[in-house]
Amino acid sequence: MKSGDKIKFFLRVENNCFVYLLYQSSQGNLSVLFPYRFKMEDKGYQTSENYYIPKGDQWFELDEYSGTEKFYLIANAN
């Protein structure tokens, strides 16, 4: 991929579990992309719902910084 390319993720959780999508920039910064927000009482998402990351008509766009960028999907079944 090259600067200016865009990417979007689709996620649908069918079973009760914990799911996280993390992003590591080429500078080593780590961000949580999903769930959209953390709540101690719940996971911040529902099973059998469609989730787009980022939300709506937004897209991730690769910037001018070269280097390896990584996305990590972590899931843990209850």
Side-chain angles (χ1 to χ4, degrees), residues 11-78:
L11 178 67
R12 182 178 175 96
V13 179
E14 292 294 331
N15 298 311
N16 194 21
C17 65
F18 290 95
V19 177
Y20 302 94
L21 179 63
L22 308 174
Y23 166 70
Q24 184 177 23
S25 71
S26 59
Q27 293 79 38
N29 299 320
L30 195 62
S31 304
V32 177
L33 303 177
F34 188 86
Y36 303 129
R37 64 186 186 290
F38 286 110
K39 295 171 100 178
M40 294 304 289
E41 311 82 53
D42 71 52
K43 296 176 289 227
Y45 55 90
Q46 302 294 319
T47 57
S48 300
E49 293 286 328
N50 294 337
Y51 294 95
Y52 294 90
I53 307 157
K55 292 181 182 181
D57 60 356
Q58 300 174 15
W59 287 74
F60 295 111
E61 186 171 345
L62 298 180
D63 57 27
E64 69 277 1
Y65 298 105
S66 62
T68 302
E69 300 182 51
K70 297 179 183 179
F71 292 91
Y72 298 95
L73 180 67
I74 302 169
N76 181 17
N78 291 335

